[in-house]
Amino acid sequence: MDSSVRVRFAPSPTGPLHIGGARSALFNWLLARKFGGKMIVRIEDTDLERSSRESEENILEALLWLGLDWDEGIKKGGDFGPYRQTERLNTYTEAAQKLIAQGQAYYCYCTEDELEAERQDLLARGELPRYLGKCRSLSAEDRAKLEAKGRKKVIRFRVPENENLVVNDLVRGDVIFESNGIGDYVIVKSDGIPTYNFAVVLDDALMGITHVVRGEEHLSNTPRQLLLYHALNYAPPSFAHVSLILGKDRSKMSKRHGATSIEAYKSQGYLPEAIANFLVLLGWSPVGEEEIFTLDELVEQFSLDRVAKNPAVFDVDKLNWINGQYIRKSPVERLTGMAVPYLKEAGYIKGEITPDLFDWLKMIVTSVQDNLEFVAQITERVGIYFNDRIEMENEEAGAVLKDEDIPQVMAAFRRKVAELAEINPENTKAMLKALTKELKLGGKKVYMPIRVALTGQTHGPELFHIIPVLGRDRIMARLAQTVGE
Ligand code: GLU
């Protein structure tokens, strides 16, 4: 591979961008960037019923969110447009006519019922269901009769007999298919719209695509595409089919195993760089032990040689772990900005986010940053800062405040809080240390009662974070509630 590499992502806009599609896009993008080649995005919208502009926008937005930009194609333009298949229908029609003229394609007038009867017949005989070529040699007269009856027609490709079709797959090695099992397939439907296998070949060939990297589910389409490359006299590109993505139980990845769309992860507060990092590990393995990579590092390290043939397993716990790593490294401003909508939705904050409020929220986010797997989780962790009515979460918490040392600990704590010039995490840490030293009771007998008295809980963020978030007045008010004056 070199800088003449031209790869593409060719989604069908029939729904949002999914994990599998995003992984294909990422692998293509990494190859384009690694070799200084070109990434092309085009839209395969020939399924008129299911395609929508809304899905197209969703897919493009999700790609950009992941950091996967493109050099040519939809919204960008380029020398090989248009980049939406429904805007290229002339190209497909012309090519189909050429194949018909060459005798490599023909009109077929079979009805659904006839095709179904043939299918059932073959199945009953234990044979592969396929089209047996009834309309292969219709005369002009036969055709005229059928047309006069108002029969709909499709265009089928005439599959040559007894050929071995070899896909030299960069991930799988040589995969051999026999042409005899294929049966003449439809390349243009009765409404004049090309089928996927036909349009994809013309697009890849005419757009100068050098490498087709896509999901394994398309491997069985590839012999059909190779036949069309030969018939149209185009050199096929190199192919790489990346493995299926399975759930942890080894069944096909579905919603049961976790959300499948990229937007679902975005809306839960996953970071795009974490998703991209997770996606690359669905099939590719790094050389060493390290699993956390920026896109720039991946551009350096990625190669198809290290893409596995066997299925990748989607493990949401691993995604959460990776996302947690990225959250830990993210600037608190960014995380706070992301947290605001969740805090609003949970009713913790309302109205305008003033700079003071934002600063206070930053302290809150800092206090839980190390324990978040994704930002939406924040609402489960920060109730202690917003609910001023303190309830003991359980008996264990209540018991902590019954210890005989409590009055002494609380009196000393109140005094120290009152004395603090400025309450920030640093000062608070020093104050707590001094307090423990002064009381000579050991850390646990000081920290746990203060935590419980302030929050009603025996666990939660670090005390040196909780105290500055609450501030002096709310601390005193909470102590009055839980341990009395
Ligand atoms: N539109 C096809 C899909 O979304 C693209 C397949 C291909 O890359 O050739 O699965």
Side-chain angles (χ1 to χ4, degrees), residues 46 85-101 105 107 153 155 187-195 198-199 202-203 206 232:
T46 53
Q85 286 184 330
T86 49
E87 293 164 17
R88 302 170 59 76
L89 297 179
N90 283 343
T91 304
Y92 313 125
T93 309
E94 270 169 37
Q97 290 307 326
K98 187 173 149 200
L99 289 178
I100 290 178
Y107 287 108
K153 59 176 189 274
I155 302 176
I187 56 173
V188 179
K189 293 179 274 185
S190 59
D191 56 3
I193 303 290
T195 56
F198 188 48
L202 285 157
D203 291 353
L206 296 172
L232 293 161

Side-chain angles (χ1 to χ4, degrees), residues 384-455:
I384 52 167
Y385 298 125
F386 295 94
N387 307 327
D388 280 320
R389 271 239 58 82
I390 307 301
E391 315 261 354
M392 291 300 131
E393 66 168 346
N394 52 30
E395 274 179 31
E396 187 198 343
V400 169
L401 295 184
K402 302 220 167 75
D403 201 274
E404 57 179 14
D405 302 319
I406 294 302
Q408 183 203 356
V409 172
M410 294 302 155
F413 176 59
R414 278 192 170 104
R415 177 166 44 75
K416 289 266 186 219
V417 171
E419 280 169 13
L420 270 184
E422 193 198 336
I423 311 190
N424 59 34
E426 281 315 302
N427 291 351
T428 304
K429 238 187 221 173
M431 178 272 279
L432 289 169
K433 214 164 153 191
L435 179 67
T436 317
K437 203 163 161 199
E438 184 182 307
L439 289 167
K440 297 197 178 66
L441 292 170
K444 194 164 193 282
K445 288 208 143 199
V446 177
Y447 284 48
M448 188 53 90
I450 295 175
R451 170 184 296 285
V452 172
L454 293 179
T455 68

Side-chain angles (χ1 to χ4, degrees), residues 44 60 66 81 90 100 140 174 208 254 282 303 313 343 370 419 462 466:
E44 300 205 330
L60 299 177
L66 288 169
N90 283 343
I100 290 178
D174 285 357
S254 72
L282 290 174
S303 80
V313 174
L343 296 173
D370 289 353
E419 280 169 13
E462 296 282 1
I466 297 177

